[in-house]
Amino acid sequence: MIRSPSDLMRVNLLEVFNEPDPVRRAAVIAENYAEDVVWHEPDRIIRGRKHLERRAEEVRAENPDWVFRPAGPASELDDVGHLGFHYGPADQSPMATGMDIARIRDGVIIELYTIVTEIRQPS
């Protein structure tokens, strides 16, 4: 099944970065990302599915009780998808906000950009 850019943005946020099971997360990555996917984070560039899997695991481990929540609906234009996000404890205000933007080819993410727009300091 070929997914739309909007669908892939929701999969990226909710089925990869919120997925606690590494086996399930790896299966979702294998199905929805190109083998040579490139992920641009604010402080690094990740190349390839295996490195994406590892980095997603690191993000989950940094704050295991935090979740990503969509900040509105996903949008798309041609081969580009966009989804804003909130990140923080599930039952509290977000500690960070930002957006993911992805380029899609043949129904998979080939390039992902994560832009953090705000980080709140804990009170």
Side-chain angles (χ1 to χ4, degrees), residues 2-111:
I2 293 185
R3 296 181 189 255
S4 71
S6 292
D7 289 342
L8 286 167
M9 298 314 299
R10 287 186 291 274
V11 166
N12 174 70
L13 189 68
L14 302 173
E15 296 181 39
V16 172
F17 289 94
N18 273 355
E19 178 56 58
D21 179 351
V23 174
R24 171 71 182 131
R25 184 173 42 252
V28 171
I29 289 171
E31 182 179 335
N32 295 285
Y33 297 78
E35 181 68 39
D36 59 350
V37 63
V38 178
W39 176 22
H40 302 261
E41 285 190 271
D43 62 344
R44 69 191 85 194
I45 297 175
I46 307 298
R47 297 178 189 279
R49 282 185 195 148
K50 290 296 180 194
H51 294 273
L52 176 73
E53 285 178 38
R54 252 182 275 155
R55 181 65 185 130
E57 180 66 27
E58 290 171 2
V59 169
R60 294 244 351 123
E62 288 168 6
N63 297 293
D65 296 330
W66 289 20
V67 296
F68 286 94
R69 296 176 291 241
S75 58
E76 63 184 71
L77 176 64
D78 298 328
D79 66 344
V80 174
H82 164 270
L83 181 60
F85 64 80
H86 299 295
Y87 181 56
D91 58 347
Q92 297 176 24
S93 297
M95 297 304 294
T97 59
M99 67 185 80
D100 288 323
I101 301 167
R103 287 188 333 126
I104 313 301
R105 183 180 306 130
D106 299 326
V108 296
I109 295 172
I110 61 170
E111 199 158 16

